[in-house]
Amino acid sequence: MSTSREFRQRARESLSGSYMYSVVVVLIYAIVSSLISLLTINTSSELLSLAYAILSILYSIIIVSPLCVGVNRYFIKQAEAKVDIANLSYPFRNNLTNVVKILFFKDLKTFLWGLLFIIPGIIKSYEYAMIPYMLAENPNLDYGRAFEITRNMMRGNKWRYFILALSFIGWMILSLITAG
């Protein structure tokens, strides 16, 4: 079993030589995911506010979620030394409806589990954490199979995944301080 330190070391090694491409990929994702928030509506109309909320949710489901899968595909391929920025559009070119459907249900299930109290939602978010990576490798993955595989992968590994994510907290704070 790899430690958090070994994962970070492998990440640094895969970034060497293609750091600028990685920055561009993350910047594209950040811009696209925040575009909808730039369109602010200052209105007292509840109907317009509702329409904006629905538009925002649809944008997130149809554009941002598949783009996240594309970012994951880019970094998976980068670790294999096959850097191609076109990997960002991979889910849009390969079974987009399946990718959108599975990611929608992943988010819906996590939200519904979160309604039971906060903790079940957090646990389910860790249980379903590998779905975007699996879709990055195989966008034709069946809905039921995707949830089954991620459950099996994360069984006994949720705590390790939490510790791995926690080990990046310094970088996250630095990113916040420097505005990315």
Side-chain angles (χ1 to χ4, degrees), residues 75-94:
F75 285 110
I76 288 169
K77 293 300 180 186
Q78 182 185 34
E80 299 170 356
K82 300 175 184 172
V83 178
D84 185 7
I85 204 159
N87 283 310
L88 278 175
S89 65
Y90 182 78
F92 297 99
R93 294 180 280 124
N94 295 286

Side-chain angles (χ1 to χ4, degrees), residues 77-180:
K77 293 300 180 186
Q78 182 185 34
E80 299 170 356
K82 300 175 184 172
V83 178
D84 185 7
I85 204 159
N87 283 310
L88 278 175
S89 65
Y90 182 78
F92 297 99
R93 294 180 280 124
N94 295 286
N95 208 348
L96 177 64
T97 55
N98 189 53
V99 170
V100 168
K101 177 182 82 169
I102 291 174
L103 292 175
F104 171 75
F105 282 111
K106 174 187 97 59
D107 292 340
L108 180 65
K109 285 181 174 189
T110 303
F111 171 74
L112 292 175
W113 275 102
L115 290 177
L116 292 176
F117 289 112
I118 303 297
I119 302 301
I122 293 171
I123 291 170
K124 286 299 177 180
S125 72
Y126 278 93
E127 184 174 302
Y128 303 149
M130 294 298 119
I131 287 179
Y133 298 96
M134 293 184 313
L135 290 172
E137 291 181 329
N138 182 7
N140 299 317
L141 194 60
D142 181 57
Y143 165 82
R145 185 79 179 123
F147 284 92
E148 177 187 342
I149 292 171
T150 191
R151 258 186 243 107
N152 292 336
M153 285 175 72
M154 295 306 287
R155 187 172 292 126
N157 292 313
K158 290 180 200 82
W159 181 251
R160 290 184 66 225
Y161 184 69
F162 173 76
I163 296 299
L164 176 65
L166 196 60
S167 73
F168 286 94
I169 197 149
W171 291 10
M172 290 179 211
I173 291 170
L174 182 64
S175 179
L176 287 174
I177 292 170
T178 62

Side-chain angles (χ1 to χ4, degrees), residues 23-88:
V23 169
V24 168
V25 165
V26 172
L27 190 60
I28 289 170
Y29 178 72
I31 290 169
V32 170
S33 63
S34 63
L35 271 179
I36 197 72
S37 65
L38 296 176
L39 302 172
T40 57
I41 295 178
N42 294 327
T43 181
S44 59
S45 170
E46 291 178 14
L47 185 61
L48 279 177
S49 296
L50 178 64
Y52 176 74
I54 291 170
L55 177 68
S56 180
I57 291 169
L58 287 174
Y59 179 78
S60 177
I61 292 169
I62 297 170
I63 305 296
V64 177
S65 290
L67 186 62
C68 177
V69 171
V71 169
N72 291 340
R73 181 165 179 89
Y74 171 83
F75 285 110
I76 288 169
K77 293 300 180 186
Q78 182 185 34
E80 299 170 356
K82 300 175 184 172
V83 178
D84 185 7
I85 204 159
N87 283 310
L88 278 175

